Amino acid sequence: AKAPLTNAKGAFSWSLAEYAMGGMLYFNKQLPKLQQHKEMRKWDRFPMNCLRGKRVGFIGFGNIAQQTAMLCRAMRMKLVAHCRNPQTVQDSPFAADAEFCDSKGEVFRSCDFIVCTLPKTPQTEHYCDESCFSVAKEGSVFLSLGRGQAVDEAA
């Protein structure tokens, strides 16, 4: 008997979008520093950063990235997307106000946060590599939500 085949595309997109926002907030709000101050029972004034106006770059702009972009837009972040076929997603409501960039290096150079959501394919293996990380904006944060093979961890 032939069994029906299906996939779970989109099933975890919202959860991963929330995870990405949690990562951005974790680093932007300096939660490790706040936790350390709590443990030390120390109160210290320091500037509290805002996500508003920060640039978030997406390497891949499928379902996970689009859900994340919706949350980023609510935080008034600037969206930059690098994907294989921008024409297929530019009309998506999630892509409204997004700047599409042909160069992955430009995304790394110009963004405060980079969110990689690439699937595992022969074309995406080690897609985020030394050429990207070596030009990354000082202090930027890289979040990998796609398949691990898309990131050259040795870089």
Side-chain angles (χ1 to χ4, degrees):
K2 292 186 178 183
L5 298 178
T6 183
N7 69 34
K9 182 178 181 180
F12 299 104
S13 297
W14 191 252
S15 177
L16 288 169
E18 289 178 358
Y19 182 82
M21 290 308 301
M24 288 183 238
L25 287 165
Y26 177 85
F27 288 102
N28 197 60
K29 297 297 183 187
Q30 306 171 60
L31 293 185
K33 181 177 186 174
L34 293 174
Q35 186 64 34
Q36 183 182 39
H37 285 190
K38 177 185 169 190
E39 290 167 7
M40 295 170 48
R41 301 180 149 243
K42 176 183 177 184
W43 186 82
D44 187 22
R45 287 182 179 218
F46 65 92
M48 184 60 70
N49 300 323
C50 291
L51 288 178
R52 177 187 224 166
K54 299 281 187 189
R55 288 174 61 88
V56 57
F58 295 96
I59 305 296
F61 203 66
N63 201 280
I64 295 168
Q66 289 180 34
Q67 295 297 319
T68 306
M70 185 170 59
L71 295 177
C72 291
R73 188 175 298 107
M75 301 295 270
R76 297 190 180 168
M77 298 175 78
K78 295 178 181 163
L79 309 177
V80 180
H82 171 74
C83 61
R84 183 180 46 187
N85 296 313
Q87 62 278 6
T88 63
V89 293
Q90 284 177 324
D91 292 334
S92 164
F94 301 110
D97 303 324
E99 169 191 337
F100 283 84
C101 188
D102 291 335
S103 164
K104 64 181 177 178
E106 184 55 34
V107 173
F108 277 80
R109 265 190 292 283
S110 69
C111 291
D112 302 293
F113 298 94
I114 299 102
V115 180
C116 178
T117 61
L118 294 174
K120 180 186 177 192
T121 69
Q123 295 79 21
T124 62
E125 187 165 346
H126 292 171
Y127 194 78
C128 298
D129 58 13
E130 178 62 28
S131 71
C132 298
F133 297 119
S134 67
V135 299
K137 182 177 180 178
E138 181 76 28
S140 64
V141 174
F142 178 79
L143 301 164
S144 179
L145 303 182
R147 299 294 180 214
Q149 295 85 351
V151 180
D152 181 359
E153 293 185 18

Short mmCIF file of all heavy atoms in Angstrom, two decimals, residues 1 3 30 33 42 57 61 76 103 131 140 144:
data_model
loop_
_atom_site.label_atom_id
_atom_site.label_comp_id
_atom_site.label_asym_id
_atom_site.label_seq_id
_atom_site.Cartn_x
_atom_site.Cartn_y
_atom_site.Cartn_z
N ALA A 1 0.85 -1.19 0.00
CA ALA A 1 0.00 0.00 0.00
C ALA A 1 0.88 1.23 0.00
O ALA A 1 1.90 1.28 0.69
CB ALA A 1 -0.91 0.00 1.22
N ALA A 3 1.76 4.82 1.05
CA ALA A 3 1.47 5.73 2.17
C ALA A 3 1.58 7.17 1.68
O ALA A 3 2.47 7.52 0.91
CB ALA A 3 2.48 5.50 3.29
N GLN A 30 21.54 43.08 26.95
CA GLN A 30 22.69 42.72 27.79
C GLN A 30 22.26 41.87 28.99
O GLN A 30 22.66 42.11 30.12
CB GLN A 30 23.43 43.97 28.26
CG GLN A 30 23.86 44.88 27.11
CD GLN A 30 24.39 46.19 27.60
OE1 GLN A 30 25.37 46.21 28.34
NE2 GLN A 30 23.77 47.28 27.21
N LYS A 33 24.84 40.54 31.53
CA LYS A 33 25.30 41.59 32.46
C LYS A 33 24.26 41.82 33.55
O LYS A 33 24.61 41.94 34.73
CB LYS A 33 25.56 42.88 31.68
CG LYS A 33 26.06 44.03 32.51
CD LYS A 33 26.35 45.23 31.62
CE LYS A 33 26.98 46.35 32.39
NZ LYS A 33 27.39 47.46 31.52
N LYS A 42 24.17 44.05 42.74
CA LYS A 42 24.77 45.33 42.33
C LYS A 42 23.79 46.08 41.43
O LYS A 42 23.20 45.51 40.53
CB LYS A 42 26.06 45.04 41.55
CG LYS A 42 26.74 46.24 40.99
CD LYS A 42 27.97 45.81 40.18
CE LYS A 42 28.62 47.00 39.53
NZ LYS A 42 29.75 46.60 38.69
N GLY A 57 19.48 41.31 9.19
CA GLY A 57 19.66 40.72 7.87
C GLY A 57 19.28 39.25 7.89
O GLY A 57 19.64 38.52 8.82
N PHE A 61 15.08 33.67 2.93
CA PHE A 61 13.87 34.42 3.31
C PHE A 61 12.62 33.57 3.08
O PHE A 61 11.65 33.99 2.48
CB PHE A 61 13.79 35.74 2.54
CG PHE A 61 12.93 36.78 3.22
CD1 PHE A 61 13.33 37.31 4.44
CD2 PHE A 61 11.75 37.20 2.67
CE1 PHE A 61 12.55 38.26 5.09
CE2 PHE A 61 10.96 38.15 3.30
CZ PHE A 61 11.36 38.69 4.51
N ARG A 76 10.09 47.77 14.98
CA ARG A 76 10.56 48.86 14.13
C ARG A 76 12.03 48.72 13.74
O ARG A 76 12.78 49.69 13.68
CB ARG A 76 10.28 50.21 14.77
CG ARG A 76 8.80 50.44 14.95
CD ARG A 76 8.50 51.84 15.35
NE ARG A 76 7.07 51.99 15.50
CZ ARG A 76 6.51 53.03 16.04
NH1 ARG A 76 7.25 54.01 16.49
NH2 ARG A 76 5.20 53.10 16.13
N SER A 103 24.22 40.61 -2.29
CA SER A 103 25.49 40.19 -1.70
C SER A 103 25.31 39.76 -0.24
O SER A 103 24.89 40.56 0.60
CB SER A 103 26.49 41.36 -1.77
OG SER A 103 27.57 41.15 -0.92
N SER A 131 34.38 34.25 4.48
CA SER A 131 34.19 35.47 3.68
C SER A 131 33.08 36.35 4.26
O SER A 131 33.10 37.57 4.09
CB SER A 131 33.88 35.12 2.22
OG SER A 131 32.58 34.57 2.09
N SER A 140 28.16 42.73 15.80
CA SER A 140 26.94 42.10 15.27
C SER A 140 26.74 40.72 15.89
O SER A 140 27.67 40.12 16.42
CB SER A 140 26.99 42.01 13.75
OG SER A 140 28.04 41.16 13.33
N SER A 144 21.71 31.32 13.97
CA SER A 144 21.50 30.27 12.99
C SER A 144 20.25 29.49 13.36
O SER A 144 20.22 28.81 14.39
CB SER A 144 22.71 29.35 12.92
OG SER A 144 22.48 28.32 11.99
#
